[in-house]
Amino acid sequence: MGFDDEDSLLDFNLPKDVLRLLLTVSSSSSLKETLETLAESSRTAAGRAALASVNILPKVLQLTCSIPYPSGREYLLLSLKLLRNLCAGEISNQNSFIERNGVKTITDILMSSAAVRSDPDFGVIRMGLQVLANVSLAGQKHQQAIWSQIFPDAFVALAGVRSRQTCDPLCMVVYTCCDGSPELFQVLCDKGLQILVEISRTASSVGFGEDWFKLIVSRVCLEDMHFPVLFSELKDSSLGDDGFSSRQGFLLRVVSEIVNERIEEISVPGEFALCVLGIFRKSVGVVDFFSRGKSGLPTDSIAINVLGYSVSILRDICAREDPSGSDSEDSVDVVDGLISSGLIELFLSLLRDLEPPTTIRKAMRLSENQEGTSSYSAKTCPYMGFRKDIVAVIGNCAYRRKHVQDEIRERNGILLLLQQCVVDEENQFLREWGIWSVRNILEGNEENQQVVADLELQGSIDVPELSGLGLKVEVNQQTQRAKLVNVPSKA
């Protein structure tokens, strides 16, 4: 049997027929060498197929069930690694795994390893989840077998293991089982809400290395519109009604990344956009605008992070589509819903309350020193880039939306936006976003163009960037009225 150098195995009471077959197939003299050899061989499709032809998976499952834990941990890890490799894309092995009740075998091991909450066995849990993840890729029958065995209690327990190395494969199993089944995702969001909460808590604590967590968040929060519930569940009750938890800030950060990365692929629900606007409004009332931000996002302040990530989401939502396009009906409804909820009024008010950009402040200080006047007190940017983000949201909303252009004019916002077309040391690319916004509020809007022309004629503004938009001020000598006209392009 080849156990002379493994006396400890004699205490394991392993099935002799299983050991004999594995040793024979691998041409090895010890169990450890056998498992290592077979795991290496099963890394290739040809190797997996060859092992499937001798029906080795049931034997490996039988061995796995027989290895005592934790005394046989080394052999258990090797057998799980072998199972993982055998089930990587080989349908006969994947089918055999389900037929031999492999899901229960692995689930029992996972629960035993996770039972010691103070010191769970991350390695065994990760390897076991990777086995299930590979099996889940085989199809609906395999996914249903895993789901029915693990949902919801085992999923909740495993989601509570605070480890990145276990979080990634767990998210893969959860997402793969639900993918293609709206019904299962609905069950996950209803009866399995605690699973999502625990996964989010784990990811916020230890991070995540693969995209499976983001895929779950994208589906649950953006496609199935369960963001408000999940965001609320991540609240820390000790903070009261006005505070935000670090987990809520983390979720917003992830959602912000998803919206930015997949803005052309996903249609953002109007309810989601309004929820984010509500979070932004709430954060405005919590953040200290008189403490100047020294860095960009993320900052050391949870409230500022919530403020910044929510405005980033709104910026990207409002940039998603050209409202004049034929396929933009949903997007127009989303943006118009935000505008109807007072977005333009809110953002213009925030911009107006902020101190001027650094370029203008320096000029004002010089003038004050000459005239002996004193500086006024104004709100500051809580993080570097806040002003730019506010201007970007306004500019994106104004793109080919005349009612937004008109509202900005009616709220005396044109001069305010013109003042953002300058370099600001605290807001990289403010000048570019300012020019973009001015271009959008002027495009096709004669009333707005006339306001700008009158302002320049009166000497109220000096915006050389207008020429960059292909515009210049032209004065009618008879009426002495000014207007913006297009500058002919040079050949």
Side-chain angles (χ1 to χ4, degrees):
M1 292 294 293
F3 290 158
D4 292 342
D5 56 345
E6 300 181 30
D7 293 338
S8 61
L9 284 177
L10 296 175
D11 299 329
F12 288 179
N13 194 28
L14 302 178
K16 300 298 187 293
D17 59 325
V18 171
L19 294 173
R20 186 176 295 107
L21 174 64
L22 294 178
L23 289 167
T24 301
V25 172
S26 65
S27 301
S28 302
S29 59
S30 70
L31 180 58
K32 181 178 180 181
E33 181 184 355
T34 292
L35 293 174
E36 290 175 340
T37 299
L38 294 177
E40 181 64 25
S41 176
S42 60
R43 290 180 61 187
T44 67
R48 289 189 290 272
L51 292 173
S53 67
V54 296
N55 200 28
I56 201 170
L57 188 136
K59 300 299 182 182
V60 180
L61 266 178
Q62 190 176 349
L63 174 68
T64 304
C65 292
S66 305
I67 297 175
Y69 180 83
S71 57
R73 180 181 185 277
E74 179 183 11
Y75 300 99
L76 178 60
L77 276 173
L78 287 171
S79 64
L80 288 173
K81 182 178 181 180
L82 175 54
L83 282 173
R84 180 197 66 185
N85 292 356
L86 288 171
C87 293
E90 175 56 53
I91 188 62
S92 58
N93 286 335
Q94 292 165 329
N95 288 339
S96 179
F97 182 88
I98 296 299
E99 293 163 1
R100 300 287 178 162
N101 209 12
V103 177
K104 184 179 187 307
T105 298
I106 299 301
T107 302
D108 289 344
I109 293 172
L110 291 173
M111 296 305 290
S112 174
S113 302
V116 184
R117 296 301 295 268
S118 61
D119 188 25
D121 194 326
F122 300 144
V124 170
I125 296 172
R126 176 178 175 82
M127 198 68 71
L129 286 170
Q130 288 178 338
V131 174
L132 296 179
N134 282 348
V135 174
S136 71
L137 295 173
Q140 186 175 3
K141 180 182 75 172
H142 303 72
Q143 294 158 6
Q144 186 60 48
I146 294 171
W147 186 267
S148 60
Q149 182 71 49
I150 299 182
F151 180 88
D153 294 340
F155 273 142
V156 172
L158 294 168
V161 177
R162 305 295 187 230
S163 167
R164 177 187 292 196
Q165 60 179 313
T166 63
C167 183
D168 286 336
L170 174 63
C171 288
M172 180 179 176
V173 173
V174 172
Y175 183 83
T176 304
C177 286
C178 294
D179 190 31
S181 174
E183 295 80 10
L184 277 188
F185 260 115
Q186 188 61 47
V187 171
L188 175 65
C189 294
D190 293 339
K191 298 180 180 179
L193 180 61
Q194 193 59 34
I195 299 171
L196 299 174
V197 172
E198 288 298 328
I199 287 178
S200 298
R201 288 173 175 169
T202 296
S204 69
S205 299
V206 300
F208 57 94
E210 301 171 10
D211 284 340
W212 296 107
F213 175 70
K214 293 176 77 171
L215 287 171
I216 291 176
V217 171
S218 178
R219 179 61 183 267
V220 170
C221 293
L222 296 176
E223 298 176 45
D224 287 349
M225 198 39 229
H226 293 279
F227 172 77
V229 177
L230 181 57
F231 187 81
S232 176
E233 287 293 321
L234 293 176
K235 182 176 178 60
D236 186 341
S237 58
S238 66
L239 297 174
D241 294 334
D242 296 330
F244 294 101
S245 72
S246 60
R247 291 159 178 163
Q248 288 177 313
F250 172 80
L251 180 63
L252 269 178
R253 179 179 181 177
V254 172
V255 171
S256 174
E257 292 175 359
I258 294 170
V259 173
N260 183 263
E261 294 166 356
R262 303 186 61 205
I263 195 62
E264 297 299 330
E265 304 172 28
I266 56 179
S267 296
V268 177
E271 296 89 342
F272 167 79
L274 292 175
C275 179
V276 174
L277 179 59
I279 293 171
F280 177 76
R281 285 185 190 274
K282 181 179 177 181
S283 66
V284 168
V286 176
V287 167
D288 177 11
F289 282 91
F290 294 98
S291 179
R292 189 181 306 280
K294 302 298 184 182
S295 70
L297 298 173
T299 71
D300 294 333
S301 167
I302 297 172
I304 291 176
N305 291 339
V306 169
L307 176 86
Y309 291 127
S310 57
V311 75
S312 296
I313 294 170
L314 293 172
R315 177 197 64 208
D316 291 335
I317 288 175
C318 295
R320 184 179 182 273
E321 296 283 358
D322 174 358
S324 64
S326 59
D327 61 346
S328 61
E329 181 178 350
D330 290 340
S331 179
V332 173
D333 290 341
V334 172
V335 177
D336 279 349
L338 291 169
I339 294 166
S340 298
S341 296
L343 181 144
I344 296 299
E345 179 182 9
L346 172 63
F347 277 61
L348 285 177
S349 175
L350 287 169
L351 189 59
R352 187 172 285 114
D353 289 344
L354 290 177
E355 62 184 6
T358 54
T359 300
I360 298 177
R361 292 208 306 272
K362 289 177 181 179
M364 292 174 65
R365 289 194 193 102
L366 179 61
S367 174
E368 290 167 358
N369 291 335
Q370 292 174 347
E371 299 177 6
T373 57
S374 59
S375 298
Y376 61 90
S377 176
K379 293 182 178 180
T380 61
C381 290
Y383 66 88
M384 297 182 72
F386 177 69
R387 181 196 306 278
K388 175 260 298 179
D389 289 341
I390 293 296
V391 172
V393 172
I394 297 172
N396 287 342
C397 286
Y399 183 67
R400 296 185 178 177
R401 294 183 175 91
K402 189 174 185 303
H403 60 292
V404 178
Q405 298 170 344
D406 292 341
E407 181 177 354
I408 292 172
R409 181 186 70 251
E410 292 162 0
R411 295 188 181 279
N412 299 317
I414 293 180
L415 176 57
L416 180 64
L417 288 174
L418 285 166
Q419 292 170 342
Q420 313 307 313
C421 299
V422 295
V423 174
D424 188 346
E425 296 170 1
E426 299 173 358
N427 288 268
Q428 190 178 19
F429 303 120
L430 174 65
R431 177 178 177 274
E432 289 75 11
W433 277 108
I435 293 173
W436 163 254
S437 299
V438 170
R439 175 225 181 266
N440 289 347
I441 64 175
L442 297 181
E443 183 185 28
N445 194 308
E446 294 182 1
E447 296 95 330
N448 288 1
Q449 293 179 18
Q450 186 63 55
V451 170
V452 174
D454 291 342
L455 287 170
E456 186 156 348
L457 182 64
Q458 297 164 12
S460 301
I461 57 169
D462 179 16
V463 187
E465 287 82 3
L466 286 177
S467 61
L469 302 176
L471 300 168
K472 70 175 182 179
V473 175
E474 185 177 273
V475 180
N476 186 307
Q477 296 302 321
Q478 292 183 342
T479 64
Q480 289 299 301
R481 285 186 59 80
K483 65 178 181 179
L484 283 179
V485 298
N486 291 321
V487 179
S489 59
K490 296 182 180 179

